[in-house]
Amino acid sequence: QALGLLARTRPLVVGKMRAAAATLAVGAACATASGVELATFGGRSGATFKIVELKGPVMGGRSTGTWHVDTAGEFGVFDGEVVNALSLDAPGFIKAAADGSFPDASSALAGVLIFEVRSSTPGYTGFRAAFAAGSVSPSYACAGGGSIPLSRGCFKAKFSVPAGQDFVQIRIPFSDFSDKWSPATGEQSTTCEQDKRVCPTASSLNSIKRIELWAEGVAGKAHLEVRSISVEVPSTPVALRVAARPPAEFGTCKGPVQDGLRFGISGRTTPDIPVPVDENETLAEAVCCDSRTKVYAEPQFLYQAPDISLYSKLEAGVTTFYDSVCGVPLFRAPMNRTLAEFKADTDEHGWPSFRPAEVVKEHVIEDKDGFVFSSCGTHLGSYLPDEQGPRWCMDLSCIAGNPTATVSQLIV
């Protein structure tokens, strides 16, 4: 599958702001014996994309850089100089980025991201690699580094290049990446070792949408020639991750979360919530069945994530949402309103939102504090009335179940 390379054909970034960009051609991505090739250069087996200019304000920056493809040598050339931004009294950055629909790299989670490169500035210490996955807006995520709202999902790591005339493989373990880093310096604010929630996951590697090369945070000349970008699967078998239920003293569900949850929820295999739980709990186990997370919800706008894309998976007419543990019907939407109104209500809040006509009342229970549970004891979300009246704001993770055989017979 071909993809475009977003690169700077004029000065790349001035200070800490974007100045210009253009899309160029790269080769086709393909599978290899030990992994997946994400990008090659020089146009072989690829497609050329129309140049697109992106302009932004300048804030005292003087860093400049260029990107071009050496078609004879079939490699990309990233070249420039990072200079202190006068208004910030700190080094700026330059970067080039490839946007596209990259192949599934989830099998390489325990493996490495590989850049085949050489450099005439091996002493430069500000080289970094980044990729965006699971983000609604890859460019926004890769500008914010998790430091501004909704900017998680762009993973960054440092790398260095040895001296020499030959191309070498720079192998960056995925465990070195984090999606929480400073947009001012590029330094990770939280490492994967410190907090597993900032690490790439198999589901994120399944949906890489952007790859970036940076020279950042260190003043000086930077030159990098790139022949290919790929991922490598571990050469030895890796123990499969075994999903865990919460410990008995914290478990609230009457059984385990179903396998094969709808809307792609089963692909969320890590508990992405701001409270410590067992690292082997899935997002659904943590949000729906662990009492330690009762006051927390799944990530806002999760239903819009590329691997979820709820609206594209709704049934024609009315969709029934089932308990993620026991499979009883909980909500049917839209009812007594249009699909557009259901979407608007959901988008306004950031979680699937239902009105009284859409509630299966025998299976949906609110407690005195406004928490909502199913008749099976599954924590579903919160009861949050607004000016329009009663409203149930639910975690999609907890209403993505499949109906049991008995329940299926009751649904017309």
Side-chain angles (χ1 to χ4, degrees), residues 69-411:
V69 175
D70 185 316
T71 54
E74 296 190 332
F75 56 83
V77 181
F78 180 45
D79 184 81
E81 183 174 8
V82 179
V83 182
N84 282 0
L86 293 177
S87 62
L88 301 175
D89 192 28
F93 67 80
I94 57 177
K95 73 174 180 179
D99 282 306
S101 295
F102 291 84
D104 182 357
S106 57
S107 61
L109 178 61
V112 293
L113 181 64
I114 300 174
F115 290 89
E116 190 176 6
V117 300
R118 64 185 179 189
S119 176
S120 61
T121 59
Y124 183 73
T125 58
F127 287 126
R128 309 185 198 280
F131 64 90
S135 166
V136 175
S137 174
S139 57
Y140 175 76
C142 289
S147 66
I148 56 179
L150 305 178
S151 66
R152 299 289 297 275
C154 183
F155 301 86
K156 184 180 283 190
K158 293 181 178 180
F159 69 92
S160 59
V161 183
Q165 299 298 312
D166 297 329
F167 281 93
V168 296
Q169 286 190 346
I170 303 300
R171 304 165 64 85
I172 312 173
F174 282 110
S175 58
D176 284 0
F177 285 85
S178 167
D179 72 346
K180 294 197 74 174
W181 42 269
S182 167
T185 66
E187 294 289 338
Q188 294 180 0
S189 53
T190 305
T191 68
C192 180
E193 184 177 8
Q194 292 170 334
D195 188 344
K196 298 301 182 186
R197 290 173 294 182
V198 307
C199 307
T201 64
S203 61
S204 62
L205 294 182
N206 183 39
S207 58
I208 297 175
K209 300 299 182 186
R210 184 179 181 93
I211 295 177
E212 297 186 336
L213 288 170
W214 293 67
E216 178 183 27
V218 178
K221 294 184 180 298
H223 181 91
L224 193 67
E225 297 176 0
V226 188
R227 189 152 68 181
S228 67
I229 305 171
S230 60
V231 300
E232 184 177 273
V233 177
S235 58
T236 56
V238 177
L240 294 177
R241 180 183 180 280
V242 179
R245 295 184 64 186
E249 64 268 32
F250 301 116
T252 59
C253 292
K254 294 182 178 179
V257 165
Q258 295 177 358
D259 294 328
L261 294 175
R262 296 190 301 164
F263 315 121
I265 291 296
S266 282
R268 295 300 178 120
T269 57
T270 56
D272 299 321
I273 46 176
V275 61
V277 296
D278 189 307
E279 66 179 15
N280 285 330
E281 288 184 32
T282 64
L283 179 62
E285 285 282 4
V287 172
C288 315
C289 299
D290 194 320
S291 62
R292 292 170 290 184
T293 71
K294 184 177 179 180
V295 299
Y296 295 97
E298 68 190 14
Q300 191 177 28
F301 297 106
L302 175 70
Y303 64 91
Q304 292 183 357
D307 57 324
I308 306 297
S309 188
L310 172 64
Y311 294 158
S312 69
K313 299 172 183 176
L314 295 177
E315 299 168 16
V318 176
T319 298
T320 300
F321 296 83
Y322 300 92
D323 188 290
S324 291
V325 175
C326 67
V328 298
L330 302 169
F331 302 94
R332 299 187 183 100
M335 297 287 286
N336 288 359
R337 58 176 173 169
T338 65
L339 178 59
E341 289 170 330
F342 167 72
K343 290 180 178 179
D345 211 7
T346 294
D347 292 343
E348 186 274 332
H349 185 61
W351 289 270
S353 297
F354 302 92
R355 297 295 176 174
E358 297 166 328
V359 180
V360 182
K361 295 182 179 179
E362 61 266 37
H363 294 305
V364 177
I365 304 162
E366 306 85 41
D367 70 9
K368 61 181 179 61
D369 297 315
F371 294 109
V372 181
F373 299 87
S374 76
S375 56
C376 302
T378 308
H379 180 211
L380 306 177
S382 298
Y383 175 67
L384 298 172
D386 62 5
E387 64 277 3
Q388 298 181 43
R391 180 174 63 169
W392 289 258
C393 299
M394 300 294 97
D395 292 299
L396 183 61
S397 302
C398 308
I399 60 172
N402 296 285
T404 62
T406 301
V407 169
S408 297
Q409 295 169 9
L410 299 176
I411 303 302

